[in-house]
């Protein structure tokens, strides 16, 4: 009987908490990956410049294409609106399929993360293979995790509840950034390697445990007669929405793209989201440089390290407050308010100039927090687009992962152009400052 109590306690966990925990097992790996993979290959493995740029170029192409590719492979069976027979998949079976996919791809993501920190091939080849493998499994995990947000809950309130737990666990996962500073050492890499092994094992086991719990929640919901609807408190249940395995008018990729081209809200959204993704990655890529060039004379090195770590945690914590506002005012009102707030602070900073230190600190911090918060809230907007696509095209089942993949296809270039444009602006600014500095020296 003693063995049943922990199992009963785990089964008593809310579905939202189990779903949100998947974000923890991704975040503890991904933040460490973002901070250290370049430094590891450049400073520890001594990769040559040509191999590095070849790897980054191939990674750029793969990163742009794998979202719609995996989304299409996952959801193409859901696109037909006509069915020859009633034999097919239920909405519950779709959820179970996504959970099973997470149960496989999560541990493989952890394994591919581990491959970065152990030299097993020539540096250039290892760099290319590790990047593509890691990004492939990360895309699969993200697509199915985001798709479950639309599949597990139908109401905006329930989806906000799920997203709240994702932000809570993501904030906890960001603490791995602080812990990594204690182990990072280019000269003696063994301690950092052991730290990464610990993260990978924890993440892999976490994915296995969380997906097993989610599967059990779905099975419990199937036997619960009092459960009606797709609610996060009782799990996926309710009507069996059949997705036929035999289709009379199977939709091709070209037909699906033409349907998206007629989806006006989708087109407006991806245009706006492209700008937001650019802004979000511009902030994250150049936040250390902002600290170094704008505040280095006023803060110590240790304070800068703490601020850098907080910049990864604060957006997730602040997003918990934004999500509470979403429950009260709605997602669209909160996103519109954040846009207006960012615009107001930018105009104020432009008029005040860079000499006001307190205002500059407030602007740098708030700009990163509000932009990250906006990007995370936009996931809820995509779930509404999934519902709209379901109704407009008379689908029997929402193609959640595919629509998330198509959004990523259009917005991923923002990740690429952010460092390119940012680097160009820095070069332009520094070149512009050199004549001023030399003329001042001549005067002296």
């Amino acid at each position: 009987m003693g063995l049943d109590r922990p199992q009963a306690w785990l089964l008593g966990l809310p579905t939202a908490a189990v779903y949100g925990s998947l974000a923890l097992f991704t975040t503890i790996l991904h933040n460490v990956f973002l901070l250290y993979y370049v430094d590891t290959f450049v400073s520890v493995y001594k990769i040559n410049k040509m191999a590095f740029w070849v790897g980054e170029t191939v990674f750029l192409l793969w990163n742009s294409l794998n979202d719609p590719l995996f989304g299409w492979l996952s959801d193409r069976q859901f696109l037909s609106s006509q069915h020859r027979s009633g034999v097919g998949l239920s909405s519950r079976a779709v959820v179970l399929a996504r959970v099973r996919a997470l149960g496989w791809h999560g541990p493989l993501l952890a394994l591919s993360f581990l491959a970065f920190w152990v030299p097993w091939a020539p540096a250039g080849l290892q760099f290319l293979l590790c990047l593509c493998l890691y990004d492939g499994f990360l895309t699969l995990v993200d697509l199915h995790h985001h798709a479950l947000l639309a599949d597990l809950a139908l109401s905006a309130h329930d989806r906000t509840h799920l997203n709240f737990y994702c932000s809570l666990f993501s904030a906890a996962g960001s603490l791995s950034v602080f812990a990594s500073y204690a182990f990072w050492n280019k000269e003696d890499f063994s301690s950092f390697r052991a730290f990464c092994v610990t993260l990978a094992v924890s993440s892999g086991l976490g994915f296995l445990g969380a997906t097993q719990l989610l599967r059990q929640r779905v099975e419990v919901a199937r036997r619960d007669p009092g459960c009606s609807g797709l609610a996060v408190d009782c799990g996926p249940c309710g009507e069996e929405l059949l997705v036929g395995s035999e289709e009379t008018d199977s939709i091709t990729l070209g037909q699906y793209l033409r349907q998206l081209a007629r989806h006006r809200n989708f087109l407006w959204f991806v245009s706006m989201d492209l700008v937001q993704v650019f802004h979000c990655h511009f902030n994250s890529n150049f936040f250390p440089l902002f600290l170094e060039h704008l505040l280095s004379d006023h803060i110590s090195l240790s304070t800068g390290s703490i601020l850098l770590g907080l910049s990864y945690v604060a957006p997730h914590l602040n997003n918990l407050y934004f999500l509470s506002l979403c429950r009260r005012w709605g997602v669209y009102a909160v996103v519109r308010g954040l846009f207006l707030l960012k615009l107001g602070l930018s105009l104020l900073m432009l008029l005040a100039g860079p000499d006001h230190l307190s205002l500059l600190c407030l602007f740098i911090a708030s700009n990163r927090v509000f932009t990250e918060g906006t990007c995370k809230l936009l996931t809820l907007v995509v779930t509404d687009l999934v519902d709209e696509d379901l109704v407009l095209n008379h689908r029997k089942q929402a193609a959640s992962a595919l629509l998330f993949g198509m959004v990523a296809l259009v917005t991923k270039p923002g990740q690429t152009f952010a460092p390119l444009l940012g680097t160009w602006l820095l070069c332009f600014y520094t070149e512009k400052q050199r004549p001023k500095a030399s003329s001042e020296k001549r005067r002296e």
Side-chain angles (χ1 to χ4, degrees):
M1 293 295 290
L3 292 175
D4 292 334
R5 288 177 184 172
Q7 187 178 11
W9 178 80
L10 288 172
L11 279 172
L13 286 174
T15 303
V18 181
Y19 171 82
S21 69
L22 295 170
L24 167 68
F25 307 129
T26 304
T27 307
I28 59 173
L29 302 181
H30 194 54
N31 283 342
V32 172
F33 161 78
L34 290 175
L35 271 179
Y36 295 108
Y37 87 95
V38 172
D39 209 1
T40 296
F41 276 90
V42 172
S43 304
V44 179
Y45 298 158
K46 309 296 183 184
I47 187 174
N48 67 69
K49 189 179 293 185
M50 178 58 70
F52 178 82
W53 285 112
V54 168
E56 285 287 357
T57 303
V58 174
F59 168 64
L60 168 63
L61 295 173
W62 173 240
N63 188 37
S64 300
L65 296 175
N66 60 18
D67 289 271
L69 173 64
F70 293 149
W72 174 258
L73 293 175
S74 170
D75 286 5
R76 69 184 186 278
Q77 60 181 319
F78 306 149
L79 296 179
S80 176
S81 58
Q82 300 294 327
H83 304 281
R84 186 175 298 165
S85 67
V87 178
L89 295 173
S90 68
S91 57
R92 186 185 298 110
V94 172
V95 171
L96 281 172
R98 297 204 192 283
V99 172
R100 277 194 295 269
L102 284 168
W104 279 100
H105 300 142
L108 289 174
L109 172 67
L111 192 61
S112 63
F113 168 81
L114 198 58
F116 280 95
W117 321 113
V118 181
W120 48 269
L125 178 62
Q126 182 177 348
F127 183 70
L128 174 62
L129 292 178
C130 283
L131 274 181
C132 291
L133 281 173
Y134 177 81
D135 187 67
F137 289 123
L138 179 66
T139 298
L140 286 164
V141 168
D142 280 344
L143 280 179
H144 287 293
H145 191 224
H146 287 148
L148 278 177
L149 182 63
D151 295 337
L152 280 174
L154 292 180
S155 71
H157 179 273
D158 285 346
R159 287 172 177 174
T160 303
H161 188 54
L162 288 171
N163 215 353
F164 177 87
Y165 276 93
C166 283
S167 293
L168 184 65
F169 280 102
S170 294
S174 298
L175 296 176
S176 64
V177 173
F178 290 98
S180 66
Y181 286 120
F183 297 95
W184 176 250
N185 187 341
K186 298 177 188 178
E187 309 304 325
D188 182 13
F189 205 59
S190 58
S191 57
F192 183 76
R193 186 177 291 127
F195 171 71
C196 290
V197 169
T198 304
L199 288 182
V201 171
S202 302
S203 176
L205 292 176
F207 270 108
L208 290 173
T211 52
Q212 181 63 28
L213 277 175
L214 274 178
R215 278 201 296 270
Q216 291 175 349
R217 294 286 294 167
V218 175
E219 293 301 325
V220 168
R222 176 186 294 178
R223 297 187 292 270
D224 186 358
C227 184
S228 59
L230 291 167
V232 296
D233 293 328
C234 57
C237 52
E239 273 189 62
E240 296 286 330
L241 299 175
L242 294 179
V243 182
S245 54
E246 298 180 55
E247 302 170 354
T248 60
D249 61 341
S250 131
I251 292 179
T252 65
L253 180 59
Q255 290 172 322
Y256 177 72
L257 292 176
R258 283 194 291 274
Q259 289 177 347
L260 279 187
R262 295 193 296 268
H263 193 168
R264 291 187 62 187
N265 284 342
F266 172 82
L267 297 177
W268 281 111
F269 174 78
V270 293
S271 302
M272 178 273 299
D273 197 27
L274 174 62
V275 178
Q276 285 305 300
V277 168
F278 171 86
H279 193 187
C280 192
H281 283 81
F282 184 86
N283 281 340
S284 59
N285 288 332
F286 293 98
F287 188 81
L289 286 174
F290 294 155
L291 291 179
E292 180 182 347
H293 291 285
L294 297 176
L295 298 174
S296 59
D297 294 336
H298 307 280
I299 60 175
S300 65
L301 186 61
S302 59
T303 304
S305 299
I306 293 172
L307 288 175
L308 185 61
L310 286 173
S311 72
Y312 282 87
V313 180
H316 297 294
L317 294 176
N318 209 54
N319 207 43
L320 300 177
Y321 175 66
F322 293 152
L323 287 167
S324 67
L325 293 180
C326 288
R327 289 185 194 144
R328 184 176 181 182
W329 302 106
V331 177
Y332 296 89
V334 173
V335 170
R336 185 169 58 247
L338 287 173
F339 282 157
L340 293 173
L341 190 57
K342 283 166 58 180
L343 179 61
L345 284 171
S346 300
L347 291 174
L348 180 62
M349 193 69 238
L350 179 64
L351 294 173
D355 297 328
H356 297 78
L357 182 62
S358 57
L359 184 59
L360 182 61
C361 291
L362 174 65
F363 176 74
I364 291 175
S366 63
N367 188 43
R368 175 156 169 75
V369 168
F370 293 156
T371 304
E372 288 275 355
T374 304
C375 285
K376 294 182 189 311
L377 292 180
L378 293 180
T379 304
L380 294 171
V381 180
V382 181
T383 61
D384 287 345
L385 291 175
V386 169
D387 296 338
E388 193 173 26
D389 174 73
L390 175 71
V391 174
L392 288 176
N393 296 295
H394 310 290
R395 308 198 198 286
K396 292 294 183 181
Q397 175 68 31
S400 313
L402 179 54
L403 194 68
F404 272 101
M406 297 309 296
V407 169
L409 174 66
V410 180
T411 58
K412 277 285 179 74
Q415 295 184 18
T416 305
F417 290 119
L420 292 178
L421 181 60
T423 304
W424 179 82
L425 287 172
L426 283 174
C427 292
F428 176 78
Y429 177 76
T430 51
E431 289 292 333
K432 192 175 178 181
Q433 292 299 317
R434 280 176 189 170
K436 292 181 181 180
S438 58
S439 61
E440 287 176 1
K441 285 182 179 179
R442 283 197 296 271
R443 287 175 188 171
E444 291 174 359

